[in-house]
Amino acid sequence: MPSPEADSRRRMPQTPDQKEYMRMARTLISMRYAEPPLAFVHTYGCQGNVADSERIKGMLREMGYRFTDDKSKADLVLFNTCAVREHAEDRVFGNVGALKPLKQNKKDMLVVLCGCMMQQPHIAEKIYQSYPFVNLVFGTFAVPRFPELLYRVLSRGRRVTEIGETAGEITEGLPVERDHPFKAFLPIMYGCNNFCTYCVVPYVRGRERSRTAAAVLKEAKEIIAGGAKEITLLGQNVNSYGKNREDGVDFPALLRLINDLPSDFRIRFMTSHPKDCTERLLDTMAACEKVSRHLHLPFQSGNDRVLKAMNRGYTREKYLSLVAYARKVMPDISITSDVIVGFPGETEAEFLDTLSLIKEVRFSSLFTFIYSPRVGTRAAALEDPVPAGEKSRWFTSLLKAQEAIAAERSADMVGRTYEVLVEYETKEGNGLLSGRTGGNVNIDFPGDRALIGRYVNVRVTEAKNWLLKGELA
Ligand code: SAH
Ligand code: SF4
């Protein structure tokens, strides 16, 4: 693993080389297969991974692949993996193991593993030693070089592992195969410099690098021209956008520039780090009519000693004051968060501070995690005396408290009308659609599939726990 200080500036080959590799791979593939070969791509983890997979699929398409949801029909199976918790990694190992019989039946099927988990040397080594049927392993740093790596596998028939030491500069111009026509992810920055002591992300995603405002705006315009109604700006810490670059566009300024693009669409973004979340950002959100009234602001812990041990860079008081300011300038804002229970050395009294914070803030929804030690992080070396059973009792009490809050918040929504973006039919053919409000809450309502991808007004008629039902208004 690179040290926190490791430089991330080694140059990667630029797009033209990769275009050439895509062309060479396409030729090889057209000679090898009578029909276009099929790829099965599965993504684990966060939206950053989903966005990477959209680029990987774009490159696969360019090389001649088409896509299937059925692994057993696939000529190439690719898993884009997540390393953030042990559970995520265990699932990947299980699912990779399950490919073995498939591969025995279909010897020329290619198995490709990539993403955050593979960026860790001890994992890449384990895959190499224990899963000999895996053809290609590459880490997040090598995503732009996927065509070259796949070409090496196809042309030489040998296994390839590429996890390089450092992330390169951002490669622009990769083809993108987007998962949805009406909502799109738009990465604005990559990597993270924060080194929260529990977190593996800075090690597996490298140092923070922002795309230029020009590149982001160009892609935003393409997305809008393609008919999308919602753009989600992505980064591990979007508030750090533009640091270390000279064009003077920081995150609030970028938000303003995108908001001012003509056409009817909504803007979302994630994730915001409380240490870098400023009143200026919240004022900008309030002033931008296309920015959804939703702020995902992970707090992780409600106790100052634990926050310090996590290296989060803010206090409980600072967090609460940000929430209060956001609600002052945007009374209808929906605030969501992430929290970790059972950080090494956390006491019950400290956990109770977390519980009291969620009751005080009353989040719209919460992503709750039990601490999971990650190889190479500082927290992994700390003493962790609290037994797993105790942590899971704390966790359950936190879930219960949040469920009660969510149920009350949902009940408050009954009788009100919300504009939603219609996203999908809840089950194929059942005539029940699901739409998402600006505040990131889903409401199910009866309607015609033709509404998918459009904004409609829905009146909430019923709240069952956190499940909301409604009708077209
Ligand atoms: N960059 C984002 C979060 C990325 S990871 C941020 O700083 O908010 C997503 C969430 O996973 C984190 O917010 C945290 O709550 C959780 N998480 C990260 N590492 C973890 C670990 N080792 N154990 C348990 N949860 C973890
Ligand atoms: Fe991980 Fe912290 Fe960076 Fe988020 S800000 S990705 S939690 S190190």
Side-chain angles (χ1 to χ4, degrees):
M1 263 185 208
S3 72
E5 292 76 31
D7 191 0
S8 59
R9 247 145 272 233
R10 200 184 68 180
R11 276 196 164 265
M12 288 284 186
Q14 294 298 301
T15 330
D17 299 337
Q18 297 304 317
K19 284 205 172 125
E20 184 59 18
Y21 277 115
M22 282 193 263
R23 201 189 54 73
M24 283 152 48
R26 193 164 57 229
T27 307
L28 214 70
I29 284 165
S30 67
M31 289 178 340
R32 187 168 300 182
Y33 298 95
E35 300 280 320
L38 296 175
F40 171 93
V41 174
H42 184 75
T43 309
Y44 299 81
C46 69
Q47 284 101 331
N49 257 13
V50 175
D52 277 351
S53 287
E54 290 186 341
R55 281 166 167 76
I56 288 167
K57 281 190 269 185
M59 293 185 259
L60 281 169
R61 183 175 286 281
E62 196 102 345
M63 290 186 274
Y65 283 89
R66 298 297 172 260
F67 301 96
T68 175
D69 293 330
D70 181 353
K71 254 190 243 114
S72 67
K73 293 206 178 108
D75 300 286
L76 180 151
V77 172
L78 182 146
F79 292 160
N80 188 1
T81 63
C82 169
V84 86
R85 281 169 295 277
E86 195 178 359
H87 176 67
E89 295 193 340
D90 289 345
R91 268 175 56 210
V92 170
F93 281 126
N95 289 341
V96 174
L99 292 175
K100 197 175 172 186
L102 214 61
K103 178 103 181 193
Q104 275 164 347
N105 282 340
K106 197 172 179 180
K107 294 240 162 5
D108 58 357
M109 181 182 97
L110 297 179
V111 177
V112 181
L113 305 178
C114 62
C116 291
M117 187 175 161
M118 299 305 140
Q119 191 58 59
Q120 305 171 99
H122 71 283
I123 299 279
E125 181 61 27
K126 177 168 169 179
I127 296 283
Y128 193 81
Q129 297 300 341
S130 313
Y131 299 85
F133 57 87
V134 173
N135 303 87
L136 168 60
V137 168
F138 63 100
T140 61
F141 303 166
V143 169
R145 289 175 50 221
F146 174 49
E148 173 192 342
L149 302 174
L150 186 62
Y151 178 76
R152 267 162 53 192
V153 173
L154 286 164
S155 59
R156 297 185 204 156
R158 283 209 298 266
R159 303 176 73 192
V160 172
T161 300
E162 177 59 67
I163 63 163
E165 285 246 313
T166 51
E169 286 170 8
I170 295 170
T171 306
E172 294 293 351
L174 299 175
V176 188
E177 167 102 3
R178 295 193 192 280
D179 287 347
H180 305 279
F182 57 89
K183 57 177 199 171
F185 289 134
L186 173 43
I188 60 170
M189 47 117 45
Y190 299 93
C192 181
N193 287 354
N194 288 319
F195 289 97
C196 300
T197 54
Y198 51 81
C199 186
V200 76
V201 169
Y203 302 92
V204 294
R205 286 269 169 188
R207 296 292 62 71
E208 233 169 64
R209 354 195 248 284
S210 295
R211 295 176 74 185
T212 62
V216 173
L217 282 171
K218 179 170 176 275
E219 191 170 342
K221 285 178 192 160
E222 285 162 8
I223 289 169
I224 297 164
K229 298 285 175 218
E230 183 182 280
I231 298 180
T232 303
L233 308 177
L234 293 181
Q236 289 300 342
N237 176 7
V238 289
N239 309 335
S240 281
Y241 174 81
K243 275 189 194 160
N244 310 323
R245 267 220 350 269
E246 271 138 35
D247 63 11
V249 180
D250 62 3
F251 185 58
L254 183 74
L255 215 48
R256 189 24 106 189
L257 286 170
I258 299 174
N259 186 74
D260 291 347
L261 293 175
S263 182
D264 177 26
F265 64 98
R266 248 186 219 162
I267 305 166
R268 295 183 184 279
F269 57 88
M270 67 190 323
T271 298
S272 288
H273 193 303
K275 121 181 121 56
D276 302 307
C277 179
T278 57
E279 292 190 353
R280 186 168 144 252
L281 169 63
L282 299 170
D283 289 338
T284 306
M285 275 180 85
C288 287
E289 75 289 353
K290 288 177 187 148
V291 176
S292 293
R293 294 297 180 251
H294 172 216
L295 181 65
H296 184 64
L297 195 64
F299 74 98
Q300 314 298 2
S301 163
N303 175 272
D304 285 346
R305 190 203 66 82
V306 176
L307 284 171
K308 193 147 194 245
M310 288 176 162
N311 191 32
R312 288 291 287 176
Y314 54 87
T315 60
R316 174 189 178 103
E317 193 190 339
K318 155 98 195 252
Y319 186 85
L320 290 174
S321 75
L322 277 171
V323 167
Y325 190 81
R327 286 182 170 154
K328 186 175 120 200
V329 295
M330 292 168 284
D332 56 344
I333 190 151
S334 153
I335 300 176
T336 58
S337 199
D338 295 352
V339 54
I340 298 175
V341 171
F343 182 79
E346 184 176 52
T347 64
E348 181 160 21
E350 289 167 340
F351 162 70
L352 290 174
D353 285 341
T354 291
L355 193 62
S356 79
L357 187 139
I358 71 154
K359 290 180 179 165
E360 196 169 333
V361 174
R362 298 175 56 75
F363 294 104
S364 309
S365 65
L366 200 56
F367 295 90
T368 46
F369 307 107
I370 292 189
Y371 169 75
S372 166
R374 306 284 62 216
V375 173
T377 60
R378 272 157 55 200
L382 297 175
E383 285 222 25
D384 193 0
V386 176
E390 180 73 356
K391 290 186 184 185
S392 97
R393 268 194 299 282
W394 298 352
F395 188 70
T396 308
S397 67
L398 187 86
L399 284 185
K400 269 205 176 134
Q402 178 57 29
E403 269 171 27
I405 293 164
E408 280 169 30
R409 294 188 68 100
S410 300
D412 283 347
M413 291 174 73
V414 175
R416 298 191 197 183
T417 298
Y418 296 86
E419 187 189 54
V420 300
L421 177 59
V422 186
E423 293 192 329
Y424 54 88
E425 197 169 30
T426 59
K427 232 189 254 154
E428 209 177 311
N430 72 350
L432 202 60
L433 305 175
S434 189
R436 189 178 292 268
T437 68
N440 211 34
V441 176
N442 273 80
I443 307 174
D444 294 350
F445 62 98
D448 194 320
R449 274 186 63 86
L451 294 176
I452 293 174
R454 296 191 13 207
Y455 286 112
V456 296
N457 286 320
V458 172
R459 199 176 69 85
V460 179
T461 52
E462 192 190 338
K464 254 198 202 151
N465 299 321
W466 58 92
L467 209 95
L468 292 168
K469 289 193 175 158
E471 61 193 16
L472 281 167

